[in-house]
Each structure stands twice: as structure tokens, then as C-alpha cells.
Amino acid sequence: MKYLHLIWAALFRRKTRTILTLVSIVTAFLLFGMLDAVRTSFDQAGQSANGAQRLQTGSRLSFIQTLPSGLNGQIAQVPGVKSVAFANWFGGAYQDPHNQVFSFAVSDNYLDQFPEIEASPEARKAFQNTRTGILVGEKLAQRFGWKVGDKIPLQSTIFPLHDGSKNWSFDIVGTLKAKEASAGWYDQTVLMHWKYFDEGTAYNRGMVGWYVSRISDVNQADRVAKAIDAISANSDHETRTQTEQAAAAAWMKQLADIGLIVGAIMGAVFFTLLLLSGNTMMQAVRERTSELAVLKTIGFTSPSVLMMVLAESVLLLLIGGVIGLGLASLLIPIVAKGSGGMLNLPGVTGGSWMLGLGIMVLIGLLVGALPAVRAMRLNIVDALAGR
């Protein structure tokens, strides 16, 4: 620590270069913190269902596989299940295939499972009494200029009508509003009647996409999940019951290997950072060749010079890395809230901080090793002579 003032002075000898390098390091570790939070959320999603108020039951094989609608009554009879509803993905688009909207065909009691979603009693009654009725999220209605009473078409490339047409006709009978940030994505959603959907297409035939169950005792969610899955054990439609967050994570994992993607991105980022910070340290030490020779002349040992250069390199990485992870800690809750509940990020955990600090020190040692060894082996006479 007694050489800290020398290390600090050397580090900021060229302020512009050091600040630009710090910006790159901050950016790299900000990205690391954000991506590691995503990876951690996927890893933790399926650990336990206890504490969840709702469970989601889908096919064990794949999220695109459907389940028999007859499971509804059997799941409702499982001890600990308060109520159960079901839904099916519709995949609609408005006017243009690029105007995709989240649209689901749902059972009549679907909204009963989601107290955090608000629809007026009049809208819910109209929805119940209108076969072609739909409820639309408020933000989605604002986006397209929809009003209650409008008749709109939605295209579905997945589920055409019996006559082969892709255009389904619906009547807007009410709007949806999220009462909590965790359900914000329902402001962009369309809900339609499952019976209308099931009768309208030849590609469903009494099948549903997933079930949503409310649990009487959140501390018994794991037991209830196992009991629900036991209903279809050893059948051609085995199920997997888990929390909604775990179901979303499983859905994403079937689309892509999240861990591999995160690892590949961070590998590329840190490799680039290695080259950038390594170049900075090489230039910094090369410019101070005569100064390092003077230090040796007045009594600094070669190991001392080695350690000072290594400390400078590690300090550079630690300053930028800690700022980057600190910014990630501040931004992650904002990003999670802004996603409307679609992202359930745990923040920068203690494990992420330890891993990040380890990477900072490792990169610092790697980029400082070569210039530090050169400084240690520096010949005083040659350095002072400018050779």
C-alpha cells in the first residue's frame, strides 16, 4: 500500500487513454452483470415451486405439444388446487404479418386465476356472452387505435379456419389493465374464447396448450405439482408442472441454449477487453522506460518494479469492473420492471460479484504480466541511454 500513490500517478499519466480504457472495461462488466443475471434467473427458475401462488402445466415433451382438455377436471380434483383454467397460443397478427400481437384462446374462468389483471365487470360479462368477443390490453388498443365495439380481423398462420382462410373476425368487448408491474405484458395482449377458437379450426380438436392452477397453500406447491404430473404419468401426454417463471425459462431453453449464448458473448467481450487493456499497459510501460530505470537506480528492486506494474494493471481492471457491476446492479431492477414481468431477474448476486472480481484480477494479471516482466528485466544503463 505504501506505493499506492506511485501506482495511481502512473495509471493516470495519460488521462485520456486511461479514461477511454476505463469506459471499455465499464461497458464490458456492465454487460457481464446484465447477462449473468439472465443466466442466473434461468438456472434458478426450476429449483422449487414452493411459494408460488400459481402453477403452469404443459407438455413434458415440448411447449408446442398440446394436452387433452379433459385434464381440466382431473387437475381441479387434486388436493391443494383452488381453481384451474387453460389457454392456447393463437399467434395473431393485425393487418400486416409483422404486426404480431400476443393472443391467446382462454377458458371462461381464465382471468379468475390472475387477480393482478383488471377488467371491468361489464367487460367480463360482455366477454362471457359474446362468442366472438375479445379483451385487449389497454396499451395494445392505444397502439392500433382500437375501441370497444370495433370489429377487427386477426391473421393466424398457425391456425387457419375450416375454410382455409387465415382471417379471424373478432369483436372488442372490453380492455385489460395490469394492476401490478409483474403483469404489465398483459397490457399488450388479446384474449379470445377457447370454444370459438376450438370450433373454428380443424387443427385443435379439444386440445389445449397449458393449464394454470391456483394453489390453496403456497408452501405445498411442490407437492401439488407432483400430484398433477402423476395424473398423466406413463401416458402419451405426460406433463410438467412448474412455476410460471420456470415455464418461461424452459420455453426459452427449448428455443436456444441460454448458457451457451451468454458464455459465447462474454467470451468475445473479454477477449476484446484483453487485447485493448493489454495494449494500454504495453504503451504505458514503454513510455515510462526511463522512469522505471530511475526507480531501480534509487533502490527499487526488480521484484518491486514487477509488482508495481502488475498492481497498476489490476487496479485499472478493478476500477472499471466495479463501476460496471455497480451500474448493472442499478439497471437490472429497472429493466425487470420495464419488461412488465416478462423478465424476472435476480440482480447481481454475491456469486456474480465474486466471479466478476475474479475475472477482473485474472485479466489484470494477464495483461500486466508481459510489461511487468519487461520492466523487471530492464537494464538501467540501456534504459537511461534510450536504447
Side-chain angles (χ1 to χ4, degrees):
M1 293 296 293
K2 65 180 180 178
Y3 297 140
L4 181 59
H5 61 290
L6 293 175
I7 297 169
W8 187 266
L11 183 61
F12 285 93
R13 188 170 183 269
R14 291 285 186 268
K15 292 183 176 62
T16 301
R17 181 177 61 203
T18 300
I19 290 173
L20 291 175
T21 304
L22 281 174
V23 170
S24 301
I25 297 171
V26 168
T27 304
F29 281 93
L30 170 61
L31 184 61
F32 165 77
M34 301 288 286
L35 290 178
D36 198 60
V38 173
R39 180 191 62 79
T40 302
S41 69
F42 277 90
D43 290 342
Q44 294 178 348
Q47 291 181 358
S48 174
N50 283 343
Q53 296 181 340
R54 285 188 298 266
L55 295 176
Q56 185 168 312
T57 302
S59 170
R60 179 176 291 274
L61 180 61
S62 170
F63 70 90
I64 64 173
Q65 296 294 321
T66 53
L67 300 170
S69 58
L71 281 176
N72 187 75
Q74 295 175 278
I75 294 175
Q77 295 176 6
V78 172
V81 173
K82 185 186 299 184
S83 59
V84 60
F86 54 84
N88 205 97
W89 172 251
F90 179 74
Y94 179 62
Q95 293 183 335
D96 188 286
H98 294 95
N99 289 331
Q100 294 287 329
V101 296
F102 285 109
S103 45
F104 307 97
V106 301
S107 58
D108 292 341
N109 65 335
Y110 185 79
L111 284 178
D112 295 337
Q113 318 304 312
F114 298 87
E116 66 270 34
I117 305 172
E118 184 177 49
S120 67
E122 296 78 14
R124 295 193 63 169
K125 183 177 180 180
F127 182 65
Q128 295 286 344
N129 297 331
T130 308
R131 181 171 174 270
T132 59
I134 56 174
L135 297 173
V136 301
E138 286 189 346
K139 291 183 179 179
L140 188 65
Q142 293 172 5
R143 174 187 170 190
F144 292 118
W146 293 342
K147 303 183 300 295
V148 174
D150 287 352
K151 182 181 288 291
I152 64 167
L154 287 180
Q155 301 174 2
S156 178
T157 56
I158 305 175
F159 300 104
L161 291 158
H162 280 289
D163 61 6
S165 171
K166 299 177 181 179
N167 295 316
W168 294 65
S169 179
F170 298 100
D171 297 288
I172 300 177
V173 297
T175 59
L176 301 170
K177 181 180 180 180
K179 295 190 289 185
E180 299 177 8
S182 60
W185 70 286
Y186 273 97
D187 287 338
Q188 301 278 357
T189 300
V190 170
L191 299 183
M192 66 187 67
H193 281 289
W194 179 83
K195 290 182 179 178
Y196 174 53
F197 163 74
D198 188 54
E199 294 169 357
T201 180
Y203 295 92
N204 202 54
R205 299 176 182 175
M207 306 296 285
V208 302
W210 63 90
Y211 292 91
V212 178
S213 307
R214 284 189 65 83
I215 308 303
S216 302
D217 183 357
V218 296
N219 296 317
Q220 297 296 317
D222 273 332
R223 178 192 61 78
V224 173
K226 292 177 182 177
I228 292 174
D229 290 339
I231 296 173
S232 302
N234 300 317
S235 70
D236 62 351
H237 54 269
E238 288 190 283
T239 61
R240 173 179 290 141
T241 302
Q242 52 199 336
T243 65
E244 293 168 308
Q245 292 79 13
W251 179 71
M252 288 298 297
K253 286 179 179 178
Q254 289 188 35
L255 292 177
D257 188 333
I258 302 300
L260 179 62
I261 292 173
V262 170
I265 294 173
M266 292 317 305
V269 169
F270 285 136
F271 178 73
T272 305
L273 181 62
L274 194 68
L275 298 178
L276 177 64
S277 54
N279 181 64
T280 297
M281 285 305 302
M282 289 292 290
Q283 288 185 9
V285 172
R286 189 182 303 116
E287 292 172 356
R288 303 200 313 271
T289 300
S290 59
E291 296 174 14
L292 293 172
V294 171
L295 289 179
K296 286 190 171 186
T297 301
I298 62 177
F300 281 79
T301 64
S302 293
S304 296
V305 173
L306 172 75
M307 295 306 298
M308 287 176 62
V309 175
L310 285 176
E312 179 184 341
S313 177
V314 171
L315 181 60
L316 177 67
L317 267 295
L318 284 174
I319 293 173
V322 169
I323 293 174
L325 284 180
L327 288 175
S329 299
L330 295 175
L331 290 176
I332 286 172
I334 299 174
V335 172
K337 184 178 181 180
S339 71
M342 296 186 71
L343 293 176
N344 184 30
L345 303 179
V348 182
T349 63
S352 296
W353 271 104
M354 294 301 295
L355 178 60
L357 290 171
I359 293 174
M360 295 172 209
V361 173
L362 178 61
I363 294 179
L365 292 174
L366 288 174
V367 301
L370 183 57
V373 170
R374 287 185 175 180
M376 180 183 68
R377 294 176 176 176
L378 189 66
N379 183 282
I380 297 176
V381 175
D382 291 338
L384 293 177
R387 296 195 294 268

